[in-house]
């Protein structure tokens, strides 16, 4: 169990590289899907408290579009793709050629929801297959779930496994943004990978760091 | 802010934390998904405690020192002790609870997927064990909730993204 003490900067670099490779593939997939350039930031790997985790995407009450899936197999964990509502609206409008689409307008159009679900499928699939190729670990994603709700309510499901043994979480956080967006400084989306505590050993071992 | 308490402050409680509130303040926790917000209150003394419960059972925990606020089975007893320090008698306490949603629909048999309903069950079991009447609840469903309790009126305000604000 490496969870609290034995994490070295080498371990952090390995986790960063996972975030880098996974998110780069996902950003490319998103870019192909939308026909638009998508840029990403250098991944951040942090150990944060549950409450600080809430601040990574605008606070626990901030309403976001969230895609969530579980990873099972040689390494297990939770993965989230989080978009601010406005950004998700822009992506989906572009995908389904419907400028009036809005996640805030009830009831949300089925076509839009299903497009979002499919986008989640494609992005998380590319992230995880890149991760699997890189580590040679066999990992299987569950079918992603979609929720438009408060960030805290969405992310807390990913903290459940961890919370049995810790009050902190190691999060691999990669931000993406749309190239040419009006405000380049604002992060437009996040991939959060939260490996289960017992899976860190498998990941490090697979990459020759123990 | 949901409640208009002009001269009071809002005490904020984070995930797996708990705190006590007295007049003229109110107490709030935000972004409850599968977690359950538990209010224990004394109507006459106008003192209340809020717990943001994350897991049903501390025996599932594998930590040496546990955070008592995180688990249903340890937090209710700990809150009763905190309220006793404020001069509240246990038999005067009543409870209101909210949360325990299932944010994502999965066909997985993994237990963590049913964590919302299990948290609600565990909290109710604890309240019963301590003889605290559950006066009102807003639990289940698949929406996140932000809740705020006012000890002045003993009302619990609940906000969801799509259904607006309700009171119990």
């Amino acid at each position: 169990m490496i969870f609290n003490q034995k994490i070295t900067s080498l371990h952090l670099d390995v986790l960063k590289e996972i975030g880098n490779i996974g998110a780069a593939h996902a950003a490319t997939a998103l870019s192909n899907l939308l026909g638009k350039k998508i840029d990403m930031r250098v991944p951040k790997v942090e150990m944060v408290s549950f409450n600080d985790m809430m601040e990574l995407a605008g606070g626990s009450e901030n309403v976001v579009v969230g895609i969530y899936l579980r990873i099972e197999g040689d390494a297990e964990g939770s993965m989230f793709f989080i978009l601010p509502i406005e950004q998700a609206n822009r992506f989906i409008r572009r995908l389904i050629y419907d400028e009036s689409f809005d996640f805030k307008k009830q009831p949300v159009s089925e076509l839009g929801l299903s497009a979002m679900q499919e986008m989640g499928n494609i992005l998380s699939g590319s992230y995880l297959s890149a991760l699997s190729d890189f580590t040679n670990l066999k990992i299987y994603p569950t079918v992603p779930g979609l929720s438009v709700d408060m960030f805290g309510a969405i992310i807390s499901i990913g903290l459940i496994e961890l919370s049995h043994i810790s009050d902190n979480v190691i999060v691999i956080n990669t931000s993406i943004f749309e190239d040419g967006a009006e405000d380049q400084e604002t992060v437009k989306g996040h991939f959060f990978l939260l490996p289960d505590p017992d899976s860190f050993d498998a990941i490090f071992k697979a990459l020759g760091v123990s | 802010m949901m409640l208009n308490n002009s001269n009071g402050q809002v005490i904020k409680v984070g995930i797996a934390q708990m705190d006590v509130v007295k007049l003229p303040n109110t107490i709030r926790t935000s972004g409850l998904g599968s977690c359950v917000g538990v209010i224990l209150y004394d109507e006459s003394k106008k003192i209340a405690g809020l717990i943001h419960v994350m897991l049903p059972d501390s025996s599932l925990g594998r930590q040496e020192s546990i955070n008592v606020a995180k688990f249903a089975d340890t937090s209710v007893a700990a809150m009763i002790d905190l309220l006793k320090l404020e001069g509240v008698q246990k038999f005067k306490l009543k409870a209101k609870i909210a949360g325990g949603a299932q944010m994502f629909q999965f066909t997985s048999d993994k237990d963590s997927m049913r964590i919302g309903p299990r948290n609600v069950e565990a909290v109710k079991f604890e309240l019963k064990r301590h003889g605290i009447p559950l006066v009102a609840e807003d639990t289940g469903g698949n929406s996140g909730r932000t809740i705020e309790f006012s000890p002045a009126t003993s009302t619990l305000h609940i906000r969801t993204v799509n259904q607006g604000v309700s009171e119990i």
Side-chain angles (χ1 to χ4, degrees):
Chain A
M1 170 63 72
I2 51 92
F3 207 62
N4 284 324
Q5 304 87 12
K6 288 191 297 181
I7 287 256
T8 65
S9 61
L10 184 60
H11 290 122
L12 291 180
D13 285 346
V14 164
L15 296 177
K16 253 185 218 165
E17 193 51 27
I18 282 176
N20 206 10
I21 288 174
H25 280 77
T28 307
L30 181 59
S31 177
N32 290 338
L33 198 62
L34 297 167
K36 239 178 175 305
K37 194 157 179 260
I38 301 290
D39 285 326
M40 58 178 270
R41 296 258 167 86
V42 176
K44 275 193 200 157
V45 178
E46 297 172 283
M47 168 114 93
V48 293
S49 71
F50 293 160
N51 285 300
D52 289 342
M53 177 81 218
M54 302 304 167
E55 300 309 316
L56 295 183
S60 64
E61 231 183 321
N62 186 29
V63 179
V64 297
V65 176
I67 296 280
Y68 164 63
L69 59 98
R70 282 286 303 166
I71 302 160
E72 286 160 11
D74 292 344
E76 310 207 320
S78 298
M79 172 151 181
F80 294 86
F81 177 48
I82 303 286
L83 286 174
I85 297 273
E86 278 314 312
Q87 187 63 50
N89 282 345
R90 284 165 61 100
F91 284 165
I92 298 306
R93 282 170 193 159
R94 200 175 163 96
L95 267 182
I96 65 174
Y97 304 105
D98 177 2
E99 280 305 313
S100 68
F101 175 80
D102 192 342
F103 278 106
K104 281 184 285 194
K105 227 190 278 162
Q106 292 292 325
V108 182
S109 99
E110 283 297 323
L111 181 65
L113 285 176
S114 123
M116 187 66 220
Q117 185 94 36
E118 190 49 28
M119 189 161 106
N121 256 324
I122 292 171
L123 298 195
S124 50
S126 5
Y127 190 117
L128 293 173
S129 61
L131 175 56
S132 176
D133 288 346
F134 177 56
T135 57
N136 273 320
L137 291 169
K138 289 194 187 67
I139 48 177
Y140 314 97
T142 60
V143 175
L146 168 65
S147 174
V148 183
D149 215 307
M150 302 172 191
F151 177 62
I154 289 176
I155 201 78
S156 57
I157 194 75
L159 304 177
I160 297 299
E161 285 295 324
L162 288 151
S163 64
H164 289 123
I165 69 154
S166 177
D167 287 285
N168 294 305
V169 50
I170 293 176
V171 52
I172 303 168
N173 173 5
T174 318
S175 313
I176 57 160
F177 53 96
E178 212 177 326
D179 193 50
E182 317 81 73
D183 183 2
Q184 291 267 356
E185 291 311 302
T186 326
V187 166
K188 298 302 183 189
H190 291 274
F191 289 99
F192 293 117
L193 180 64
L194 281 54
D196 286 355
D198 294 336
S199 292
F200 282 97
D201 282 340
I203 294 172
F204 293 140
K205 217 169 159 191
L207 294 170
V209 191
S210 36
Chain B
M1 198 161 72
M2 283 187 286
L3 292 174
N4 186 14
N5 56 338
S6 45
N7 44 7
Q9 288 177 322
V10 182
I11 295 170
K12 289 184 179 150
V13 179
I15 185 167
Q17 292 177 348
M18 59 184 188
D19 211 339
V20 170
V21 64
K22 288 186 243 180
L23 289 179
N25 300 333
T26 61
I27 195 161
R28 132 185 254 211
T29 194
S30 56
L32 286 166
S34 60
C35 299
V36 177
V38 182
I39 313 285
L40 302 185
Y41 63 101
D42 179 333
E43 244 170 337
S44 51
K45 278 208 151 71
K46 310 226 178 280
I47 297 178
L50 188 162
I51 319 163
H52 188 134
V53 170
M54 197 172 176
L55 291 171
D57 186 354
S58 60
S59 68
L60 299 172
R62 291 184 277 149
Q63 269 171 305
E64 277 161 28
S65 62
I66 66 161
N67 165 10
V68 290
K70 189 157 62 180
F71 305 96
D73 64 332
T74 50
S75 62
V76 172
M79 180 51 80
I80 292 169
D81 287 344
L82 274 185
L83 290 168
K84 274 184 189 159
L85 293 177
E86 302 291 339
V88 172
Q89 287 165 297
K90 186 176 170 182
F91 72 91
K92 291 253 181 85
L93 286 175
K94 294 177 180 172
K96 292 186 180 183
I97 66 173
Q102 191 164 353
M103 300 302 297
F104 295 92
Q105 312 300 322
F106 277 106
T107 48
S108 165
D109 48 354
K110 211 164 166 82
D111 254 3
S112 58
M113 291 304 144
R114 275 199 69 250
I115 197 76
R118 283 170 57 218
N119 278 335
V120 173
E121 271 165 45
V123 165
K124 287 182 177 171
F125 178 83
E126 281 308 305
L127 293 174
K128 206 167 188 179
R129 200 164 69 84
H130 288 282
I132 300 172
L134 177 60
V135 176
E137 66 175 298
D138 176 24
T139 55
N142 47 25
S143 295
R145 296 170 172 89
T146 286
I147 63 172
E148 187 170 335
F149 185 81
S150 157
T153 55
S154 300
T155 45
L156 183 62
H157 295 244
I158 302 160
R159 192 176 77 79
T160 60
V161 171
N162 292 324
Q163 290 115 50
V165 180
S166 62
E167 279 180 16
I168 60 172

